[in-house]
Amino acid sequence: MDARSKGEVSLVDGAIDHAALLASVAAPDAGATVLFLGTTRRHTGDVVTERLEYEAHQPMAVRELARLRNEAVSRFSLAGCGIVHRLGVVGVGETSVAVATAAAHRREAFAAAEWVMEEIKRSVPIWKCDESAVGDRRWVHPEAVFDGGAAP
Amino acid sequence: MDARSKGEVSLVDGAIDHAALLASVAAPDAGATVLFLGTTRRHTGDVVTERLEYEAHQPMAVRELARLRNEAVSRFSLAGCGIVHRLGVVGVGETSVAVATAAAHRREAFAAAEWVMEEIKRSVPIWKCDESAVGDRRWVHPEAVFDGGAAP
Amino acid sequence: MVVVNLFAGMAESAGTRRLDLEWTGGSVADLRRRIGDRIPAIAELLARSAVAVGTSYAADTDHVPGDADVAIIPPVSGG
Amino acid sequence: MVVVNLFAGMAESAGTRRLDLEWTGGSVADLRRRIGDRIPAIAELLARSAVAVGTSYAADTDHVPGDADVAIIPPVSGG
């Protein structure tokens, strides 16, 4: 981890403290800070979601998140980057993932936060189970072939 | 203003309450929320900034911010959008502008926040004065010809 | 009489935030010339600025009534 | 003996989060076949999954020692 950049990665069981995450990436040479929050939404097409449940291979997920964080720092010249993913049950309107990036200029801060989110969805061993209002449970395993991009 | 979308615009004299701004755009069908914070940074090239001072044509700035907010809501199908710009003295590490966007999907939330920031810098009658550590004061009026894009 | 409101670097260069000018009506272009003649120090920045009559941006050919409240909007730098 | 850890929809389909298989060593491809034969209900998802030996992703030709701890990583859906 780049000693000059701020922020960490973590998996948490309860509500994500996004104010603390923002504070953790603050730096005097950061002119731009971006916070992304992924929240459980009620409707996806015709499907009504009641809550989501997240599960992870925790040691691999933490390591992969740290790798993404460090790659984002060097790729986008960030002053800070932090990622928090919540596990367990996440109700509608609650936050499952938070990414904060800080950079000298806004383009890098935006691009880095978007890139980290793309990569989380592509390569970090975390899964969600969609629980509908009528009680159906469905683990989500997208059909696209796992491309091994996460391999070292 | 679209009655179904959340969030407002404002000019404030003190610290920006970004947690309140985030909360103001929350919506059950928003799966993605982006918060952008523009903060005063210490170094710009070789120049060391001590603090910035912002001034606005307040009624025109509020009206222009509201126009941008509403255009962002319709252009990016946002569930919510809020903008706060601080006026007066803003020290290093303090936030001068905050934009929050909420959308069903992250691409729209990111794109809208970036677009709003571009437009704020292009068209809203707010000006900054850069005060260096050695006491120089310099109002910033970029050389590019004002293109009248803000005109109705 | 027209009231001309100045902001930021323009107010600093002019040494005032408000100019009161005798005015019986005319175009925005006419008003620009009057302001530039009165305060040459701001002529260069004025040429790069927009003009609002009331709180609406106005083109150089637009009319400025005799009792207007006008704002000069130099290039912006918020954010 | 190899310990195979299952997650998410794969654990749900298998009815367990952990399989203990007799194993004296072999390739990842061999292990995939053994798992699929043992629990046909997860064969389709297994074919779309990555395999980690310890906490490192492994290719089908990689060796899985006789005492390995293995994780099957089905397509991810975090975020």
Side-chain angles (χ1 to χ4, degrees), chain D residues 1-72:
Chain D
M1 191 188 77
V2 68
V3 175
V4 179
N5 296 285
L6 304 177
F7 296 88
M10 189 163 278
E12 196 155 283
S13 295
T16 181
R17 306 185 71 77
R18 172 178 165 148
L19 287 179
D20 296 338
L21 296 179
E22 290 303 317
W23 185 254
T24 54
S27 70
V28 167
D30 293 337
L31 183 61
R32 285 179 180 274
R33 275 188 293 273
R34 281 285 300 279
I35 298 167
D37 290 346
R38 170 82 163 266
I39 312 183
I42 63 174
E44 184 272 335
L45 186 52
L46 179 61
R48 302 196 285 120
S49 298
V51 173
V53 177
T55 56
S56 297
Y57 287 104
D60 277 359
T61 53
D62 286 349
H63 181 71
V64 182
D67 60 349
D69 194 85
V70 169
I72 309 300

Side-chain angles (χ1 to χ4, degrees), chain A residues 74-149:
Chain A
S74 76
R75 191 186 275 240
F76 299 98
S77 300
L78 301 181
C81 180
I83 309 171
V84 184
H85 203 298
R86 183 173 174 179
L87 301 178
V89 171
V90 181
V92 167
E94 293 182 352
T95 297
S96 54
V97 62
V99 174
T101 58
H105 302 285
R106 70 186 182 284
R107 284 191 185 80
E108 287 75 17
F110 276 118
E114 278 201 85
W115 181 83
V116 167
M117 281 306 305
E118 301 287 337
E119 292 297 308
I120 286 174
K121 287 176 177 277
R122 198 179 68 78
S123 78
V124 179
I126 300 177
W127 303 273
K128 75 176 165 198
C129 183
D130 198 325
E131 304 194 13
S132 77
V134 294
D136 296 332
R137 276 172 60 89
R138 185 180 61 90
W139 283 100
V140 180
H141 295 299
E143 286 294 327
V145 173
F146 189 86
D147 68 2

Side-chain angles (χ1 to χ4, degrees), chain C residues 3-4 9-11 16 30 32 35-36 40 43 45 51 56 67 71 73 77:
Chain C
V3 174
V4 179
M10 190 162 276
T16 181
D30 294 336
R32 285 179 180 272
I35 298 167
L45 186 52
V51 172
S56 297
D67 59 350
I73 308 294
S77 54

Side-chain angles (χ1 to χ4, degrees), chain B residues 3 16 18 20 23 36 51 53 57-58 118 128 132 145 147-148:
Chain B
I16 293 175
H18 52 72
F36 174 83
R51 58 185 209 169
E53 186 179 335
H57 184 310
Q58 296 199 29
E118 300 288 336
K128 76 176 164 200
S132 76
V145 173
D147 67 3

